Amino acid sequence: MEIKVCIGSSCHLKGSHRVVEGLQKLIEENGLSDKLDFKGAFCMGLCQPGVSVKIDNEVFSVKPEELEEFFEKNIKAKI
Ligand code: FES
């Protein structure tokens, strides 16, 4: 599974660094580092209400405060 977090300016303002740090921590805590390809990406052209996170070919809009729920539902459950 490939995960890309947008670090473009609009997503940066919405907390992309918190999403990156939070995801790194959750991935480590759950021992998933070797199952995921985790990267940063530039603007995906889909500046949304939250931070754009692309999982394989699907783009999600993630708010830093909802990260844990997002991780459980869209990453952990699908591995
Ligand atoms: S800045 Fe993140 S999608 Fe545009």
Coordinates of all heavy atoms in Angstrom, one line a residue:
M1 N 0.9 -1.2 0.0 CA 0.0 0.0 0.0 C 0.9 1.2 0.0 O 1.9 1.3 0.7 CB -0.9 0.0 1.3 CG -1.9 1.1 1.4 SD -2.8 1.0 3.0 CE -4.2 0.0 2.6
E2 N 0.5 2.2 -0.9 CA 1.3 3.4 -0.9 C 0.5 4.6 -0.3 O -0.6 4.8 -0.7 CB 1.6 3.7 -2.4 CG 2.5 4.9 -2.5 CD 2.8 5.3 -4.0 OE1 1.9 5.7 -4.7 OE2 3.9 5.1 -4.5
I3 N 1.1 5.3 0.6 CA 0.5 6.4 1.2 C 1.3 7.7 0.9 O 2.5 7.7 1.2 CB 0.4 6.3 2.7 CG1 -0.3 5.0 3.0 CG2 -0.3 7.4 3.4 CD1 -0.3 4.6 4.5
K4 N 0.6 8.7 0.3 CA 1.3 10.0 0.1 C 0.6 11.1 0.8 O -0.7 11.2 0.6 CB 1.3 10.3 -1.4 CG 2.3 9.4 -2.2 CD 2.3 9.9 -3.6 CE 3.3 9.1 -4.4 NZ 3.1 9.3 -5.9
V5 N 1.3 11.9 1.6 CA 0.7 13.0 2.2 C 1.1 14.3 1.5 O 2.3 14.5 1.3 CB 1.1 13.1 3.7 CG1 0.4 14.3 4.4 CG2 0.7 11.8 4.4
C6 N 0.1 15.1 1.2 CA 0.4 16.3 0.5 C 1.1 17.3 1.4 O 0.6 17.6 2.5 CB -0.8 17.0 -0.1 SG -0.5 18.5 -0.9
I7 N 2.2 17.9 1.0 CA 2.9 18.9 1.8 C 2.9 20.2 1.0 O 3.7 21.1 1.2 CB 4.3 18.5 2.2 CG1 5.1 18.0 1.0 CG2 4.3 17.4 3.2 CD1 6.6 17.8 1.2
G8 N 2.0 20.4 0.1 CA 1.8 21.6 -0.7 C 1.4 22.7 0.3 O 1.0 22.5 1.4
S9 N 1.4 24.0 -0.1 CA 1.1 25.1 0.8 C -0.2 25.1 1.4 O -0.4 25.3 2.6 CB 1.4 26.4 0.1 OG 0.8 26.5 -1.1
S10 N -1.3 24.8 0.6 CA -2.6 24.8 1.2 C -2.8 23.7 2.3 O -3.3 23.9 3.3 CB -3.6 24.6 0.1 OG -4.9 24.4 0.6
C11 N -2.3 22.5 2.0 CA -2.3 21.4 3.0 C -1.4 21.7 4.1 O -1.7 21.3 5.3 CB -2.0 20.1 2.3 SG -3.3 19.5 1.2
H12 N -0.3 22.4 3.9 CA 0.6 22.7 5.0 C -0.1 23.6 6.0 O 0.0 23.3 7.2 CB 1.8 23.5 4.4 CG 2.8 23.9 5.5 ND1 3.6 23.0 6.1 CD2 3.0 25.1 6.0 CE1 4.3 23.7 7.0 NE2 3.9 25.0 7.0
L13 N -0.9 24.5 5.5 CA -1.6 25.4 6.4 C -2.7 24.7 7.2 O -3.1 25.1 8.3 CB -2.3 26.5 5.6 CG -1.4 27.6 5.0 CD1 -2.2 28.5 4.1 CD2 -0.6 28.3 6.0
K14 N -3.2 23.6 6.7 CA -4.2 22.8 7.4 C -3.6 21.7 8.3 O -4.3 20.9 8.9 CB -5.1 22.1 6.4 CG -6.0 23.2 5.7 CD -6.7 22.5 4.5 CE -7.0 23.6 3.5 NZ -6.9 23.1 2.1
G15 N -2.3 21.7 8.4 CA -1.6 20.8 9.4 C -1.0 19.6 8.8 O -1.0 18.5 9.4
S16 N -0.5 19.6 7.5 CA 0.1 18.4 6.9 C 1.2 17.8 7.8 O 1.4 16.6 7.9 CB 0.5 18.6 5.5 OG 1.4 19.6 5.4
H17 N 2.0 18.7 8.4 CA 3.1 18.2 9.2 C 2.6 17.3 10.4 O 3.2 16.3 10.8 CB 4.0 19.3 9.7 CG 3.3 20.3 10.6 ND1 2.5 21.3 10.1 CD2 3.4 20.5 11.9 CE1 2.0 22.0 11.1 NE2 2.5 21.6 12.2
R18 N 1.4 17.8 10.9 CA 0.8 16.9 12.0 C 0.3 15.6 11.5 O 0.4 14.6 12.2 CB -0.4 17.7 12.7 CG 0.1 18.7 13.7 CD -1.0 19.6 14.1 NE -2.1 18.9 14.8 CZ -3.3 19.4 14.9 NH1 -3.6 20.6 14.4 NH2 -4.3 18.8 15.6
V19 N -0.2 15.6 10.3 CA -0.7 14.4 9.7 C 0.5 13.4 9.4 O 0.5 12.2 9.7 CB -1.5 14.6 8.4 CG1 -1.8 13.4 7.6 CG2 -2.8 15.4 8.7
V20 N 1.6 14.0 8.9 CA 2.8 13.2 8.6 C 3.4 12.6 9.9 O 3.6 11.4 10.0 CB 3.9 14.1 7.9 CG1 5.2 13.3 7.8 CG2 3.5 14.5 6.5
E21 N 3.5 13.4 10.9 CA 4.1 12.9 12.2 C 3.2 11.9 12.8 O 3.6 10.9 13.3 CB 4.3 14.1 13.2 CG 5.6 14.8 12.9 CD 5.6 16.2 13.6 OE1 4.9 16.4 14.6 OE2 6.4 17.0 13.2
G22 N 1.9 12.2 12.8 CA 0.9 11.3 13.4 C 0.9 9.9 12.7 O 0.8 8.9 13.3
L23 N 0.9 10.0 11.4 CA 0.9 8.7 10.6 C 2.1 7.9 10.8 O 2.1 6.7 11.0 CB 0.7 9.0 9.1 CG -0.7 9.2 8.6 CD1 -0.7 9.5 7.1 CD2 -1.6 8.0 8.8
Q24 N 3.3 8.6 10.9 CA 4.5 7.9 11.1 C 4.5 7.2 12.5 O 4.8 6.0 12.6 CB 5.7 8.9 11.2 CG 6.3 9.1 9.8 CD 7.3 10.3 9.8 OE1 7.3 11.1 10.6 NE2 8.1 10.3 8.7
K25 N 3.9 7.8 13.5 CA 3.8 7.3 14.8 C 2.9 6.1 14.8 O 3.2 5.0 15.3 CB 3.3 8.3 15.8 CG 3.5 8.0 17.2 CD 3.2 9.2 18.0 CE 2.8 8.8 19.4 NZ 1.5 9.2 19.8
L26 N 1.7 6.2 14.1 CA 0.7 5.1 14.1 C 1.2 3.9 13.3 O 1.0 2.8 13.7 CB -0.6 5.6 13.5 CG -1.4 6.6 14.3 CD1 -2.5 7.3 13.5 CD2 -2.1 5.8 15.5
I27 N 2.0 4.2 12.3 CA 2.5 3.1 11.4 C 3.5 2.3 12.3 O 3.5 1.1 12.3 CB 3.1 3.7 10.2 CG1 2.1 4.2 9.2 CG2 4.0 2.6 9.4 CD1 2.5 5.0 8.0
E28 N 4.4 3.1 13.0 CA 5.4 2.4 13.8 C 4.7 1.6 15.0 O 5.1 0.5 15.2 CB 6.3 3.5 14.4 CG 7.7 3.2 14.3 CD 8.6 4.4 14.6 OE1 8.8 4.6 15.8 OE2 8.9 5.1 13.7
E29 N 3.8 2.3 15.7 CA 3.2 1.6 16.8 C 2.4 0.3 16.4 O 2.3 -0.6 17.2 CB 2.1 2.5 17.4 CG 2.7 3.6 18.3 CD 1.7 4.6 18.8 OE1 0.5 4.5 18.4 OE2 2.1 5.6 19.4
N30 N 1.9 0.3 15.2 CA 1.2 -0.9 14.7 C 2.1 -1.9 13.9 O 1.6 -2.8 13.4 CB 0.0 -0.4 13.8 CG -1.1 0.2 14.6 OD1 -1.9 -0.6 15.2 ND2 -1.1 1.5 14.8
G31 N 3.4 -1.6 13.9 CA 4.4 -2.5 13.2 C 4.1 -2.6 11.8 O 4.2 -3.7 11.2
L32 N 3.7 -1.6 11.1 CA 3.3 -1.7 9.7 C 4.3 -1.1 8.7 O 4.1 -1.1 7.5 CB 2.0 -1.0 9.4 CG 0.8 -1.5 10.2 CD1 -0.5 -0.7 10.0 CD2 0.5 -3.0 9.8
S33 N 5.5 -0.7 9.2 CA 6.4 0.0 8.4 C 6.8 -0.8 7.1 O 7.0 -0.2 6.1 CB 7.7 0.3 9.2 OG 7.4 0.7 10.5
D34 N 7.0 -2.1 7.3 CA 7.4 -2.8 6.1 C 6.3 -3.1 5.1 O 6.5 -3.7 4.0 CB 8.1 -4.1 6.5 CG 7.3 -4.9 7.5 OD1 6.4 -4.4 8.1 OD2 7.6 -6.1 7.7
K35 N 5.0 -2.8 5.5 CA 3.9 -3.1 4.6 C 3.5 -1.8 3.9 O 2.6 -1.9 3.0 CB 2.7 -3.6 5.4 CG 3.0 -4.9 6.1 CD 1.7 -5.6 6.4 CE 1.9 -7.0 7.0 NZ 2.1 -7.0 8.4
L36 N 4.0 -0.7 4.2 CA 3.5 0.6 3.7 C 4.7 1.3 3.1 O 5.8 1.3 3.6 CB 2.9 1.4 4.8 CG 1.7 0.9 5.5 CD1 1.3 1.7 6.7 CD2 0.5 0.8 4.5
D37 N 4.4 2.0 2.0 CA 5.3 2.9 1.4 C 4.8 4.3 1.6 O 3.8 4.7 1.1 CB 5.3 2.6 -0.2 CG 6.4 3.3 -0.9 OD1 7.3 3.9 -0.2 OD2 6.4 3.3 -2.1
F38 N 5.5 5.0 2.5 CA 5.0 6.3 3.1 C 5.9 7.4 2.5 O 7.1 7.4 2.7 CB 5.0 6.2 4.6 CG 4.5 7.4 5.3 CD1 3.2 7.8 5.0 CD2 5.2 8.1 6.2 CE1 2.7 8.9 5.7 CE2 4.7 9.2 6.8 CZ 3.4 9.6 6.5
K39 N 5.2 8.4 1.9 CA 6.0 9.5 1.2 C 5.2 10.8 1.4 O 4.0 10.9 1.6 CB 6.0 9.2 -0.3 CG 6.8 8.0 -0.7 CD 6.6 7.9 -2.2 CE 7.3 6.6 -2.7 NZ 6.9 6.2 -4.0
G40 N 6.0 11.9 1.1 CA 5.4 13.2 1.0 C 5.1 13.4 -0.5 O 5.7 12.8 -1.3
A41 N 4.2 14.4 -0.8 CA 3.9 14.7 -2.2 C 3.6 16.2 -2.3 O 3.2 16.8 -1.3 CB 2.8 13.9 -2.7
F42 N 3.8 16.7 -3.5 CA 3.4 18.1 -3.7 C 1.9 18.2 -4.0 O 1.2 17.2 -4.1 CB 4.3 18.7 -4.8 CG 5.7 18.8 -4.3 CD1 6.7 18.0 -4.9 CD2 6.0 19.6 -3.3 CE1 8.0 18.1 -4.4 CE2 7.3 19.7 -2.8 CZ 8.3 18.9 -3.3
C43 N 1.4 19.4 -4.2 CA 0.0 19.6 -4.4 C -0.6 18.6 -5.4 O -0.1 18.4 -6.5 CB -0.3 21.1 -4.9 SG -2.0 21.4 -5.1
M44 N -1.7 18.0 -5.0 CA -2.4 17.0 -5.8 C -3.5 17.7 -6.7 O -4.2 17.0 -7.3 CB -3.0 15.9 -4.9 CG -1.9 15.2 -4.1 SD -2.6 14.1 -2.9 CE -1.2 13.5 -2.1
G45 N -3.6 19.0 -6.6 CA -4.6 19.7 -7.4 C -6.0 19.5 -6.8 O -7.0 19.8 -7.4
L46 N -6.0 19.0 -5.6 CA -7.3 18.7 -4.9 C -7.3 19.3 -3.5 O -7.5 18.6 -2.6 CB -7.6 17.2 -4.8 CG -7.8 16.5 -6.1 CD1 -7.7 15.0 -5.9 CD2 -9.3 16.7 -6.6
C47 N -7.0 20.6 -3.4 CA -6.9 21.3 -2.1 C -8.3 21.2 -1.5 O -9.2 21.9 -2.0 CB -6.3 22.7 -2.3 SG -4.8 22.7 -3.3
Q48 N -8.4 20.5 -0.5 CA -9.7 20.2 0.1 C -9.8 20.8 1.5 O -8.9 21.4 2.0 CB -9.9 18.7 0.2 CG -9.8 18.0 -1.2 CD -10.0 16.6 -1.2 OE1 -11.1 16.1 -1.0 NE2 -8.9 15.8 -1.4
P49 N -11.0 20.5 2.2 CA -11.1 21.1 3.6 C -10.0 20.6 4.5 O -9.6 21.3 5.4 CB -12.4 20.6 4.0 CG -13.1 20.1 2.9 CD -12.1 19.8 1.8
G50 N -9.5 19.4 4.3 CA -8.4 18.9 5.2 C -7.2 18.7 4.4 O -7.0 19.3 3.3
V51 N -6.3 17.9 4.9 CA -5.0 17.6 4.2 C -5.2 16.4 3.2 O -5.8 15.4 3.6 CB -3.9 17.2 5.3 CG1 -2.6 16.8 4.6 CG2 -3.7 18.3 6.3
S52 N -4.7 16.6 2.0 CA -4.9 15.5 1.0 C -4.0 14.4 1.3 O -2.8 14.6 1.4 CB -4.7 16.0 -0.4 OG -5.7 17.0 -0.7
V53 N -4.6 13.2 1.4 CA -3.8 12.0 1.6 C -4.2 11.0 0.6 O -5.4 10.7 0.4 CB -4.0 11.3 3.0 CG1 -3.2 10.0 3.2 CG2 -3.6 12.3 4.1
K54 N -3.2 10.5 -0.2 CA -3.5 9.6 -1.3 C -3.1 8.2 -0.8 O -2.0 7.9 -0.4 CB -2.7 10.0 -2.5 CG -3.2 9.3 -3.8 CD -2.5 10.0 -4.9 CE -3.0 9.4 -6.2 NZ -2.4 9.9 -7.4
I55 N -4.1 7.3 -0.9 CA -3.8 5.9 -0.6 C -4.0 5.1 -1.9 O -5.1 5.1 -2.4 CB -4.7 5.4 0.5 CG1 -4.5 6.2 1.8 CG2 -4.5 3.9 0.8 CD1 -5.2 5.7 3.0
D56 N -2.9 4.5 -2.4 CA -2.9 3.9 -3.7 C -3.5 5.0 -4.7 O -2.8 6.0 -4.8 CB -3.6 2.6 -3.7 CG -2.8 1.6 -2.9 OD1 -1.5 1.7 -2.8 OD2 -3.3 0.7 -2.3
N57 N -4.7 4.8 -5.3 CA -5.1 5.8 -6.2 C -6.2 6.6 -5.7 O -6.8 7.4 -6.5 CB -5.5 5.1 -7.5 CG -4.2 4.7 -8.3 OD1 -3.3 5.4 -8.3 ND2 -4.3 3.4 -8.8
E58 N -6.6 6.6 -4.5 CA -7.7 7.3 -3.9 C -7.2 8.4 -3.0 O -6.4 8.2 -2.2 CB -8.6 6.3 -3.1 CG -10.0 6.8 -3.0 CD -10.8 5.7 -2.3 OE1 -10.4 4.6 -2.2 OE2 -11.9 6.1 -1.8
V59 N -7.8 9.6 -3.2 CA -7.4 10.8 -2.4 C -8.5 11.1 -1.4 O -9.6 11.1 -1.6 CB -7.2 12.0 -3.3 CG1 -6.7 13.2 -2.4 CG2 -6.1 11.8 -4.4
F60 N -8.0 11.2 -0.1 CA -8.9 11.5 1.0 C -8.5 12.9 1.6 O -7.4 13.3 1.4 CB -8.7 10.5 2.1 CG -9.0 9.1 1.7 CD1 -8.1 8.3 1.1 CD2 -10.3 8.6 2.0 CE1 -8.4 7.0 0.8 CE2 -10.6 7.2 1.7 CZ -9.6 6.4 1.0
S61 N -9.5 13.5 2.2 CA -9.2 14.7 2.9 C -9.2 14.5 4.4 O -10.2 14.1 4.9 CB -10.4 15.7 2.5 OG -10.2 16.9 3.2
V62 N -8.1 14.7 5.0 CA -8.0 14.3 6.4 C -7.7 15.5 7.3 O -6.8 16.3 7.0 CB -6.8 13.3 6.6 CG1 -6.7 12.8 8.0 CG2 -6.9 12.1 5.6
K63 N -8.4 15.6 8.4 CA -8.2 16.6 9.4 C -7.3 16.0 10.4 O -7.5 14.9 10.9 CB -9.5 17.1 10.0 CG -10.4 17.7 9.0 CD -11.4 18.7 9.6 CE -12.2 19.5 8.6 NZ -13.4 18.8 8.3
P64 N -6.2 16.8 10.9 CA -5.3 16.2 11.8 C -6.0 15.6 13.1 O -5.6 14.6 13.6 CB -4.4 17.4 12.2 CG -4.5 18.3 11.1 CD -5.8 18.1 10.5
E65 N -7.1 16.3 13.5 CA -7.8 15.7 14.7 C -8.5 14.5 14.5 O -9.0 13.8 15.4 CB -8.6 16.8 15.4 CG -9.7 17.4 14.5 CD -9.2 18.6 13.6 OE1 -7.9 18.7 13.4 OE2 -10.0 19.4 13.1
E66 N -8.7 14.1 13.2 CA -9.4 12.9 12.9 C -8.5 11.8 12.4 O -9.0 10.8 11.8 CB -10.5 13.2 11.8 CG -11.6 14.0 12.3 CD -12.4 14.7 11.2 OE1 -12.2 14.4 10.0 OE2 -13.3 15.4 11.5
L67 N -7.2 12.0 12.6 CA -6.2 11.1 11.9 C -6.3 9.7 12.4 O -6.3 8.7 11.6 CB -4.8 11.7 12.2 CG -3.7 10.9 11.5 CD1 -3.8 11.0 10.0 CD2 -2.4 11.5 12.0
E68 N -6.5 9.5 13.7 CA -6.5 8.2 14.3 C -7.7 7.3 13.7 O -7.5 6.2 13.3 CB -6.7 8.2 15.8 CG -5.4 7.5 16.4 CD -5.3 7.8 17.8 OE1 -5.8 7.0 18.6 OE2 -4.6 8.8 18.2
E69 N -8.8 7.9 13.6 CA -10.0 7.3 13.0 C -9.8 6.9 11.5 O -10.1 5.8 11.1 CB -11.2 8.2 13.2 CG -12.5 7.6 13.0 CD -13.6 8.7 12.9 OE1 -13.5 9.7 13.6 OE2 -14.5 8.5 12.1
F70 N -9.2 7.9 10.8 CA -8.8 7.7 9.4 C -7.9 6.5 9.3 O -8.1 5.7 8.4 CB -8.2 9.0 8.9 CG -7.7 8.8 7.5 CD1 -8.5 8.8 6.4 CD2 -6.3 8.6 7.3 CE1 -8.0 8.7 5.1 CE2 -5.8 8.4 6.0 CZ -6.6 8.5 4.9
F71 N -6.9 6.5 10.1 CA -5.9 5.4 10.1 C -6.5 4.0 10.3 O -6.3 3.1 9.5 CB -4.8 5.7 11.1 CG -3.8 4.6 11.2 CD1 -2.7 4.6 10.3 CD2 -3.8 3.6 12.1 CE1 -1.7 3.5 10.3 CE2 -2.9 2.6 12.2 CZ -1.8 2.5 11.3
E72 N -7.4 3.9 11.3 CA -8.0 2.6 11.6 C -8.9 2.2 10.4 O -8.8 1.0 10.0 CB -9.0 2.8 12.8 CG -8.2 3.0 14.1 CD -7.5 1.8 14.6 OE1 -7.9 0.7 14.4 OE2 -6.4 2.0 15.3
K73 N -9.7 3.1 9.9 CA -10.7 2.8 8.9 C -10.0 2.5 7.5 O -10.4 1.6 6.8 CB -11.6 3.9 8.8 CG -13.0 3.5 8.4 CD -14.0 4.6 8.7 CE -14.5 5.2 7.4 NZ -15.2 6.5 7.5
N74 N -9.1 3.4 7.1 CA -8.7 3.4 5.7 C -7.3 2.8 5.5 O -6.9 2.5 4.4 CB -8.7 4.8 5.1 CG -10.1 5.3 5.0 OD1 -10.9 4.9 4.2 ND2 -10.4 6.3 5.9
I75 N -6.6 2.6 6.6 CA -5.2 2.0 6.4 C -5.2 0.6 7.1 O -5.0 -0.4 6.5 CB -4.1 3.0 6.9 CG1 -4.2 4.3 6.1 CG2 -2.7 2.3 6.8 CD1 -3.2 5.3 6.5
K76 N -5.3 0.7 8.4 CA -5.2 -0.6 9.2 C -6.2 -1.7 8.8 O -5.8 -2.8 8.6 CB -5.4 -0.3 10.7 CG -4.7 -1.3 11.6 CD -4.8 -0.8 13.0 CE -4.5 -2.0 13.9 NZ -4.7 -1.6 15.3
A77 N -7.4 -1.3 8.6 CA -8.4 -2.3 8.2 C -8.2 -2.8 6.8 O -8.8 -3.9 6.5 CB -9.8 -1.6 8.3
K78 N -7.5 -2.2 6.0 CA -7.3 -2.6 4.6 C -6.0 -3.3 4.3 O -5.8 -3.7 3.1 CB -7.5 -1.4 3.6 CG -8.9 -0.9 3.7 CD -9.1 0.2 2.7 CE -10.5 0.8 2.8 NZ -10.6 2.1 2.0
I79 N -5.2 -3.5 5.3 CA -3.9 -4.1 5.0 C -4.0 -5.6 5.1 O -4.7 -6.2 5.9 CB -2.9 -3.6 6.1 CG1 -2.3 -2.3 5.5 CG2 -1.8 -4.6 6.3 CD1 -1.2 -1.7 6.2
Ligands
FES1 S1 -1.8 21.8 -1.4 FE1 -2.4 19.8 -1.0 S2 -3.7 19.2 -2.6 FE2 -3.2 21.2 -3.0

